[in-house]
Amino acid sequence: MSSVESISMRSEEFRLGKPPRPSHPGGLPVLLSMELRKLKGSSFWWMALGMIALVSSWSGLAFMKRAESSNPTTRTVALAQGEIFQTVGLLAPILAALLTSRLAVMESSERMDLKWLSLGQSPIGMFLAKLVVAGCALTLCFVIPLTWIPLTASAQGFHLEGSLAEYILLPALIACFSSMAVTAIQLALSLTIERQAIGLGLGVIAGLIGTGLGPMSMPGLGWFFPAGISSATSPFLFSASSDGFARMTLAANPWPKVLTSLLACIIWSGISAFIVKVKESDR
């Protein structure tokens, strides 16, 4: 039997409501490989590269302004790193909405979802494959500047309290888990709601709320939605110095915050996968 006939038979089985037979063993790695092949040469990657360039450029301009200051209180690695970390709560939901919306549009316009289901792939596996691709792309937007900013600041003589490795690793890990959680819920919205503008609008609102929790001294509210995870688990402590300038320091024991951000990422990813599963079962 040829591959064309096999696909045709399984598509017919899916149309008649028969349970599809698995034809591509391997689970998530196979689905991930399929997802990457499908996106080969698509505008998704150009969109992701544009987002990485945008966040890195903004981070570079903010750091250049910080480096021009002659006040030693403001020339600290923690303050330079903390400014970039605050952009996670604002930009992650918006950028995630754009990326996941693109994935959903490609999936529905080319009817790829029906094809993979007819080949015996589960909706949860398809969701996880998309989550890995979009989540990694979004994570790079923040991990890249969160990595080079402390290195550059340290090289230019910015004041450093503690280990440089912690300044790089801790914010990057929390940004990664927060980005994955935000991507999961935005992906669920994009796959279950036909109007993609709704997901984008919710992403903008979530970003505005998420970035405002810290200044409003209510970071604990961030546990109630993915965009607020970075505020709730921020490893930086904010205060004002005697001369009125802002001051940031790394928390004494920030590793519990890293673990709780990982737990929150797992919980929100599970909730998102459940939403997608319920939606697919109602079809």
Side-chain angles (χ1 to χ4, degrees):
M1 181 184 297
S2 66
S3 59
V4 176
E5 292 173 344
S6 176
I7 293 176
S8 178
M9 289 179 62
R10 289 183 171 85
S11 299
E12 183 66 18
E13 290 175 354
F14 179 77
R15 187 180 67 82
L16 295 175
K18 297 179 181 180
R21 295 172 295 172
S23 61
H24 289 282
L28 183 60
V30 173
L31 283 170
L32 186 57
S33 175
M34 291 178 177
E35 193 71 29
L36 292 174
R37 282 185 208 162
K38 182 185 68 177
L39 294 175
K40 185 177 181 181
S42 71
S43 58
F44 174 86
W45 299 115
W46 291 109
M47 183 183 295
L49 288 174
M51 292 176 179
I52 294 173
L54 174 66
V55 178
S56 295
S57 299
W58 184 92
S59 302
L61 292 174
F63 176 73
M64 288 172 61
K65 184 177 180 181
R66 174 72 55 195
E68 292 173 356
S69 174
S70 57
N71 191 332
T73 335
T74 62
R75 289 175 57 87
T76 65
V77 175
L79 194 55
Q81 183 79 324
E83 285 180 338
I84 310 305
F85 183 81
Q86 288 177 342
T87 63
V88 178
L90 173 63
L91 296 179
I94 302 173
L95 301 184
L98 293 172
L99 290 174
T100 57
S101 175
R102 182 56 188 159
L103 287 178
V105 169
M106 291 179 61
E107 195 79 359
S108 58
S109 62
E110 300 177 11
R111 303 184 67 83
M112 296 297 296
D113 52 347
L114 296 179
K115 178 181 177 181
W116 299 139
L117 287 172
S118 68
L119 293 175
Q121 305 295 351
S122 69
I124 298 299
M126 295 161 55
F127 169 81
L128 292 177
K130 290 179 176 58
L131 175 59
V132 171
V133 173
C136 288
L138 181 63
T139 298
L140 287 176
C141 293
F142 303 104
V143 169
I144 290 176
L146 285 173
T147 300
W148 69 261
I149 286 292
L151 291 174
T152 307
S154 178
Q156 292 194 8
F158 277 51
H159 178 66
L160 175 65
E161 295 180 1
S163 170
L164 180 61
E166 288 188 342
Y167 277 89
I168 297 175
L169 186 60
L170 293 171
L173 285 175
I174 295 177
C176 173
F177 299 142
S178 177
S179 297
M180 294 298 290
V182 169
T183 304
I185 198 67
Q186 287 294 154
L187 181 58
L189 292 173
S190 297
L191 294 176
T192 55
I193 300 177
E194 293 184 1
R195 294 187 177 182
Q196 299 301 315
I198 296 178
L200 179 58
L202 291 175
V204 173
I205 295 173
L208 293 176
I209 297 176
T211 193
L213 293 177
M216 291 188 296
S217 301
M218 295 187 295
L221 294 179
W223 293 114
F224 294 99
F225 59 105
I229 293 177
S230 60
S231 295
T233 60
S234 174
F236 296 101
L237 300 177
F238 177 83
S239 62
S241 58
S242 56
D243 53 3
F245 287 95
R247 186 172 182 267
M248 274 189 180
T249 56
L250 199 63
N253 186 22
W255 285 106
K257 295 188 176 184
V258 176
L259 295 178
T260 50
S261 65
L262 172 60
L263 179 60
C265 174
I266 295 173
I267 292 174
W268 281 109
S269 298
I271 293 174
S272 304
F274 177 75
I275 294 173
V276 172
K277 183 178 180 180
V278 171
K279 178 66 175 181
E280 290 296 333
S281 62
D282 291 340
R283 278 190 176 186

